[in-house]
């Protein structure tokens, strides 16, 4: 299980261990789906001293149609750039604004999510793939039509 060292607001080094939970989110038609919740536990000298430190991700209650992505709670996780530098994710450049805060959308590496998530990640992944295959209205997802003589491709 990976661990991360960050500097807290007092300048002290803190060791964090991530684990994956799932948010309940809905698509634009109201279908419930799992969303990624990355919880960071502060490791103590014994397992009994380990406690939840922060939740790195934040949910706006909506389904994100890009697999392995979540908004980052930079409002409460000032140390998020330190985690990004450690290679767990890539910043997509997309953000969501809420009030005076802007939350970046990160794309997490699948091997990282599998390592910290186990069964929770498998549930998320199965649900995501099932949803994307059937399409948002219950029918088949996008299909490719044969290319025309002009060489173009259309999506149905």
């Amino acid at each position: 299980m990976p661990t991360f060292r960050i500097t807290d607001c007092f300048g002290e080094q803190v060791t964090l261990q991530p684990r994956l939970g799932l948010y309940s989110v809905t698509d634009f038609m109201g279908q419930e789906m799992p969303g990624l919740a990355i919880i960071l536990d502060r490791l103590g000298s014994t397992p009994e001293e380990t406690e939840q430190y922060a939740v790195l991700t934040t949910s706006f209650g909506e389904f994100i149609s890009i697999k392995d992505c979540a908004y980052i709670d930079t409002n409460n996780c000032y140390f998020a750039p330190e985690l990004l530098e450690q290679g767990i994710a890539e910043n997509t450049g997309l953000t969501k604004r809420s009030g005076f805060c802007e939350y970046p959308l990160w794309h997490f590496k699948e091997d990282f999510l599998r390592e910290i998530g186990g069964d929770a990640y498998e549930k998320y992944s199965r649900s995501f793939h099932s949803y994307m295959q059937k399409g948002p209205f219950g029918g088949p997802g996008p299909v490719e039509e044969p290319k025309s003589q002009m060489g173009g491709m259309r999506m149905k």
Side-chain angles (χ1 to χ4, degrees):
M1 187 69 71
T3 59
F4 306 108
R5 294 194 47 84
I6 63 152
T7 304
D8 71 8
C9 59
F10 302 109
E12 301 291 323
Q13 289 289 302
V14 176
T15 302
L16 302 176
Q17 185 170 45
R19 61 185 161 94
L20 186 67
L22 299 175
Y23 292 117
S24 177
V25 298
T26 56
D27 72 356
F28 63 95
M29 296 295 290
Q31 180 177 336
E32 190 172 348
M33 305 283 295
L36 299 174
I38 298 177
I39 303 152
L40 301 170
D41 294 326
R42 181 181 187 156
L43 295 179
S45 54
T46 66
E48 294 79 29
E49 293 176 357
T50 297
E51 62 184 357
Q52 183 173 316
Y53 186 78
V55 179
L56 179 64
T57 57
T58 189
S59 174
F60 294 98
E62 60 195 28
F63 172 66
I64 300 173
S65 60
I66 307 171
K67 187 171 187 279
D68 300 339
C69 284
Y71 289 101
I72 304 304
D73 187 358
T74 52
N75 187 41
N76 294 304
C77 298
Y78 57 88
F79 53 85
E82 291 181 61
L83 298 178
L84 190 61
E85 290 172 7
Q86 296 183 42
I88 63 171
E90 298 171 331
N91 190 342
T92 66
L94 301 172
T95 61
K96 185 163 185 89
R97 181 173 283 290
S98 178
F100 294 106
C101 298
E102 195 167 38
Y103 301 90
L105 183 68
W106 286 7
H107 177 252
F108 288 91
K109 294 185 176 179
E110 184 176 351
D111 58 339
F112 168 73
L113 294 174
R114 283 188 187 287
E115 186 175 4
I116 69 166
D119 291 340
Y121 182 72
E122 291 305 318
K123 177 181 178 182
Y124 163 82
S125 187
R126 278 191 313 272
S127 180
F128 185 91
H129 285 294
S130 174
Y131 178 84
M132 296 308 274
Q133 284 179 344
K134 74 177 182 176
F137 300 107
V143 294
E144 201 175 299
E145 283 188 354
K147 292 183 181 181
S148 71
Q149 292 179 349
M150 299 298 285
M153 183 176 68
R154 293 188 334 200
M155 300 296 275
K156 276 189 178 178

